[in-house]
Amino acid sequence: MSATPSLIALLEGPSDVAAVRAIMRRNEIGGDHVELRNLQGVTNVGRVLPEIRQLQPDADVVGMCDAAEVRFVERALVADGCPVSDASDLPAYGFFVCEADLEDELIRALGTSRAVEAIQSAGLGGKLEALQIQPAWADRPLAEQLHRFCGVASGRKEQVAGVLAAELSRDELPEPLSMLVDRIAWSA
């Protein structure tokens, strides 16, 4: 990454950063011009965006958030002078929304069978099977089990997000990731 990136992608947490980084790597999108910034929670966007505008006013700022947290991004963009009235306005300003969350988008894009294969290939198959036999999870649909598996242990969300994202070809990317990666690639 250069000292002053031309594009800063505001991402909710380390799993989002890992997923975007894996997609960039798989698609050979150079990252010298990009900073993938971990917001450490999307609620921090209202503090971080003005800081970026002050310190790097020429940087293109984009981002991604979960549907449940759209209001934080909307408020930050309105405070930044963007006429945002609802979530449908966010893509015009480079912010893209995951319907439930990033993990849900990745699991749906891959399908449960491919997601399980990717998890097994990463050496985590035994841990997934351990979750699946727990009484609280044994009868749940596989997609729910996979979603729970992603966040059940410290560091796993980041690891699994990178693993799942790396399995997706460019044309398989869920819409919010596809649009974000297109913005990153376009800004190169």
Side-chain angles (χ1 to χ4, degrees):
M1 179 174 55
S2 65
T4 55
S6 61
L7 183 136
I8 299 171
L10 301 180
L11 302 166
E12 182 176 354
S15 62
D16 302 70
V17 171
V20 173
R21 189 170 284 132
I23 291 165
M24 288 174 63
R25 198 171 23 256
R26 173 162 179 162
N27 291 282
E28 299 178 358
I29 298 169
D32 289 347
H33 70 291
V34 177
E35 177 187 344
L36 302 179
R37 184 162 307 175
N38 173 1
L39 288 171
Q40 299 177 358
V42 75
T43 59
N44 291 318
V45 68
R47 175 185 52 80
V48 173
L49 184 57
E51 290 173 2
I52 292 169
R53 295 291 191 222
Q54 183 178 17
L55 298 172
Q56 297 170 269
D58 295 332
D60 186 16
V61 181
V62 298
M64 189 170 63
C65 67
D66 299 342
E69 282 86 26
V70 162
R71 66 190 180 281
F72 299 109
V73 175
E74 289 172 342
R75 277 188 237 147
L77 288 173
V78 167
D80 193 47
C82 302
V84 174
S85 59
D86 61 39
S88 68
D89 293 334
L90 296 182
Y93 299 103
F95 285 80
F96 309 104
V97 181
C98 296
E99 275 315 303
D101 57 24
L102 174 68
E103 293 73 27
D104 179 65
E105 294 280 359
L106 293 171
I107 292 165
R108 280 189 292 117
L110 276 173
T112 55
S113 296
R114 281 179 65 202
V116 169
E117 289 172 14
I119 288 167
Q120 289 170 336
S121 294
L124 298 170
K127 293 180 185 294
L128 174 59
E129 290 168 10
L131 176 122
Q132 290 175 313
I133 62 171
Q134 293 176 9
W137 291 96
D139 294 329
R140 301 266 184 109
L142 182 54
E144 287 181 28
Q145 292 173 346
L146 289 167
H147 193 271
R148 174 66 178 155
F149 177 76
C150 290
V152 76
S154 177
R156 186 173 301 156
K157 193 172 183 180
E158 179 179 4
Q159 180 184 11
V160 174
V163 165
L164 297 179
E167 292 295 315
L168 293 167
S169 65
R170 185 81 177 252
D171 62 333
E172 293 176 307
L173 292 176
E175 186 177 45
L177 278 167
S178 178
M179 293 189 327
L180 179 65
V181 170
D182 285 349
R183 282 292 294 266
I184 291 170
W186 174 78
S187 72

